[in-house]
Amino acid sequence: MAASSEFPGDGENETASRRKTALATGIALVIALGLLLLASFILLPGRSQANEFDSQINARLAELDVKPAAVELTSDKALHVRHAIVAGDFNTADRITADVLSHSRIENWRYYPFEDFIQDVSAGATPLFGRRLDEWVTKDHRSALPFLFRARYLYDAGWMTRGRGVAAKTDPGRMTAFADELKNALTDVNAAIDFNAHNPYSFNLKLRILHGFGMSPTYVAAFEQAIARYPAYYPLYEITLDALQPRWNGSVPEMYRFVDKYAGPAPQFSPLKLLYLSLYRHLLSTASMDCIAQEGNADKTAQCVGAYMQKTVQSGLEQQSQTALRLYDHTDKYEFGSEVYDIISDMLGSYGADAYSGAVLQLAAISMHSDTQLVEDKRTHNDYIVDELVAQSWHDKGFDDNEVAKRKEALADARSEKFPGEEERDIALAAIYEQLSQSASNQRQYVDEIAFEKAAVLLGVKWDENYICHGYYELKQYDEAVQSCSDAISSTDNAYARYWRGEAYNQSGRPQQALADLTNVAEADNYFSPYAAVDMTMIYFNHNDNQGAVRVLNKYTFLYDPYRTEKSQVAVAYNNRCYAYMQLGFLKKALDDCTQSLKYGSIPDAFRKEQELMRRLSTSQGGSAGTVSSSSTRSL
């Protein structure tokens, strides 16, 4: 199973042919709001300490006994294509893509490897990539591929603009921009289909794009067109079932009718039977979302979810779901595991639904001839997918040690598993190493974090290579952090590595290099953009450049948008601008910002500054300065 980034129709994790070792998954965001001394001195560890860390990391990596990848991964081919497109080398991009397409085929639950390939080509793409696609479309205006690549890029860009929140809590301007991006994506994917209707992924992407507008007659027509051409292509049915949820203008009865229509009459061991398990998943997700909004606390939410499921789970669905899980013995086990992982992982992530997701996990374990015990019975062999799901359930409950124990069992079981090929094996092992790296980061075990991620990189998987430079950063090995972040940036255009390189530059006394990296991150509109912008202001504050800090704070307006930025960060931004305006003598502007800061968070200094500013404005006399707030602690 490969790992990649995807924005589904509802902005949550999609059911795809492989797992995403999502950067934000499994890592709690901790924001420490406090006082930061404007003049701080950082003593860098000596070379001897760096050598000691290197020895520990190398010893840990040697213990893992990882053999380097012997085959070129699909993700590497995708990266070559992305770089070729950015360089304007469209012939190379076309040649590599044509080769991937020639080896792609519809399997039980995916079109492999092209689905993974195009996903990786677009992942983390920059506006420059988009401009190059415009050039390619102009140059080869009657070729399907440039239109398809641009449609995928616009789809991803649209969801990045929109964000992952529900529509009612998303800024209207972002929703408008999102709709515009999807309309352009739809135009392009239609052109790709017109030029070449023999690529099933084009129909997959068209449904995903239309999903963003909600269920409609246009969507229904597109679905019917797609399955008429590719009736055995499972993702077409899964995307549509997802789109029939109530939050997308569908309904529970429509979901049942859809699954009964297509999975009901299918042969006994048809992959379509898994739609019953997915229906159960979507009912659970709908219950969780509705109950969170209504109830708020965990116990009441769980009771609400229980009542919802009792009302909506029709007689026979649980039995049909169990029957679907028995496909394990009658289909390709690797493909089955990949698909079931996505479904049950979503269930485990449904808040207040533990009683139901846990029961399904137990049924899956039985069907896959495994168990969910913390300590595996050594007389039996678990499927590593079950180990991974059990590890996720322990993570969600906050038991880090249990999670790590199950991840290590997953690693041992995966090593003895039979895979379709070396690529699938390397990707599965690397995904577990990446999860272990994230777990080590959570527990501040930075030597292990680095070693586990280096193991994944040895296997050819570099999606989360930023964990290496983050680990070095936390160990205060700033030169090593800069070097490893630079490696990640050069190999995969890793935006998060650029953030940590900027932080390492800053901590090692190289503010100009830090500002260059942090500016890049702030303008990229990604998870770390608010943190990068705030950290840029801190650099200016630390150099007594209040004007520079104000320029940054006024430039990045997303800092004040609670739909885009977490409320605690909005409080930080207002508080910092309050301080800057106060220093510059703009007392009324400063007071307004301190008042706004207190609406979003309770930063102690903001209270003091607000009182001081009110006094100074009333007496027209000078006063003391306040302090500024740093992002301080950030997750990966």
Side-chain angles (χ1 to χ4, degrees), residues 215-490:
M215 183 52 63
S216 67
T218 301
Y219 184 100
V220 173
F223 169 71
E224 291 175 350
Q225 177 197 22
I227 62 170
R229 182 172 286 274
Y230 297 107
Y233 188 26
Y234 181 84
L236 304 177
Y237 301 91
E238 179 56 59
I239 297 164
T240 304
L241 176 58
D242 185 79
L244 284 169
Q245 292 182 82
R247 59 182 134 162
W248 291 100
N249 301 325
S251 67
V252 169
E254 287 176 292
M255 293 166 71
Y256 273 101
R257 284 195 294 270
F258 177 82
V259 173
D260 286 338
K261 179 177 180 179
Y262 293 104
Q268 182 181 4
F269 301 125
S270 166
L272 288 176
K273 293 294 187 182
L274 208 57
L275 287 171
Y276 281 110
L277 183 66
S278 191
L279 169 58
Y280 195 92
R281 174 258 302 264
H282 290 309
L283 292 176
L284 201 58
S285 173
T286 300
S288 178
M289 290 188 67
D290 286 356
C291 292
I292 288 172
Q294 293 176 29
E295 303 298 341
N297 74 56
D299 290 339
K300 289 185 177 179
T301 298
Q303 293 171 10
C304 175
V305 168
Y308 185 98
M309 294 299 284
Q310 289 177 14
K311 181 177 66 175
T312 58
V313 173
Q314 294 181 6
S315 174
L317 178 58
E318 291 178 340
Q319 180 59 47
Q320 289 161 326
S321 296
Q322 286 184 257
T323 301
L325 286 167
R326 295 193 189 107
L327 286 169
Y328 180 80
D329 287 326
H330 302 281
T331 55
D332 182 279
K333 290 179 171 53
Y334 175 81
E335 294 176 37
F336 176 87
S338 297
E339 191 64 27
V340 164
Y341 178 92
D342 290 326
I343 293 173
I344 298 181
S345 180
D346 279 356
M347 289 185 185
L348 292 172
S350 294
Y351 183 75
D354 288 0
Y356 293 88
S357 59
V360 173
L361 174 54
Q362 178 61 34
L363 291 174
I366 293 169
S367 297
M368 298 168 77
H369 311 297
S370 304
D371 64 59
T372 58
Q373 296 179 85
L374 178 59
V375 179
E376 189 175 312
D377 185 344
K378 298 306 178 185
R379 295 170 298 177
T380 62
H381 170 73
N382 258 25
D383 190 297
Y384 76 99
I385 290 294
V386 173
D387 294 329
E388 284 280 75
L389 289 167
V390 174
Q392 180 183 332
S393 70
W394 282 118
H395 170 84
D396 292 343
K397 293 176 176 64
F399 291 89
D400 293 336
D401 290 342
N402 292 352
E403 175 197 356
V404 170
K406 292 307 295 185
R407 299 272 184 219
K408 290 180 178 178
E409 285 191 359
L411 192 62
D413 286 329
R415 282 174 171 162
S416 60
E417 195 79 47
K418 291 182 179 179
F419 289 92
E422 288 187 61
E423 177 173 13
E424 289 87 348
R425 178 183 182 277
D426 287 346
I427 288 172
L429 292 173
I432 299 170
Y433 281 124
E434 290 191 323
Q435 292 283 5
L436 284 166
S437 179
Q438 293 175 22
S439 298
S441 179
N442 279 353
Q443 298 180 67
R444 302 184 181 183
Q445 297 171 352
Y446 301 119
V447 167
D448 281 352
E449 175 186 7
I450 295 168
F452 284 130
E453 189 57 40
K454 282 191 172 185
V457 171
L458 275 175
L459 290 166
V461 175
K462 302 175 182 177
W463 305 296
D464 290 338
E465 196 173 353
N466 48 281
Y467 279 98
I468 297 174
C469 58
H470 171 260
Y472 279 121
Y473 172 83
E474 295 291 355
L475 291 172
K476 297 183 171 56
Q477 304 301 298
Y478 299 123
D479 288 341
E480 287 79 2
V482 166
Q483 182 58 58
S484 56
C485 286
S486 298
D487 291 344
I489 293 165
S490 65

Side-chain angles (χ1 to χ4, degrees), residues 34-39 538 541-542 544 546 572 574-585 587 590-591 594 603-613 615-616 622-630:
L35 305 179
L36 181 70
L37 295 176
L38 295 183
M538 299 308 301
F541 281 135
N542 284 331
N544 297 316
N546 295 304
V572 166
Y574 273 120
N575 183 61
N576 287 0
R577 196 168 66 176
C578 169
Y579 170 85
Y581 279 144
M582 194 173 181
Q583 292 294 93
L584 293 169
L587 303 187
L591 178 59
C594 268
I603 300 175
D605 185 63
F607 287 103
R608 190 194 63 76
K609 289 201 299 290
E610 182 183 47
Q611 294 300 314
E612 175 69 9
L613 285 162
R615 185 188 65 78
R616 288 171 63 176
S624 62
T627 59
V628 295
S629 304
S630 167

Side-chain angles (χ1 to χ4, degrees), residues 534-580:
V534 168
D535 292 345
M536 288 164 66
T537 67
M538 299 308 301
I539 292 174
Y540 285 114
F541 281 135
N542 284 331
H543 288 80
N544 297 316
D545 185 354
N546 295 304
Q547 289 280 12
V550 167
R551 282 197 302 272
V552 172
L553 290 164
N554 286 336
K555 178 179 181 180
Y556 299 111
T557 56
F558 57 71
L559 287 171
Y560 312 100
D561 180 1
Y563 296 112
R564 168 67 178 84
T565 304
E566 296 192 20
K567 288 184 177 181
S568 50
Q569 278 294 90
V570 173
V572 166
Y574 273 120
N575 183 61
N576 287 0
R577 196 168 66 176
C578 169
Y579 170 85

Side-chain angles (χ1 to χ4, degrees), residues 124-134 153 523-524:
T126 64
L128 175 59
F129 178 81
R131 292 194 294 273
R132 289 288 188 261
L133 289 175
D134 292 341
Y153 168 76
E523 294 181 354

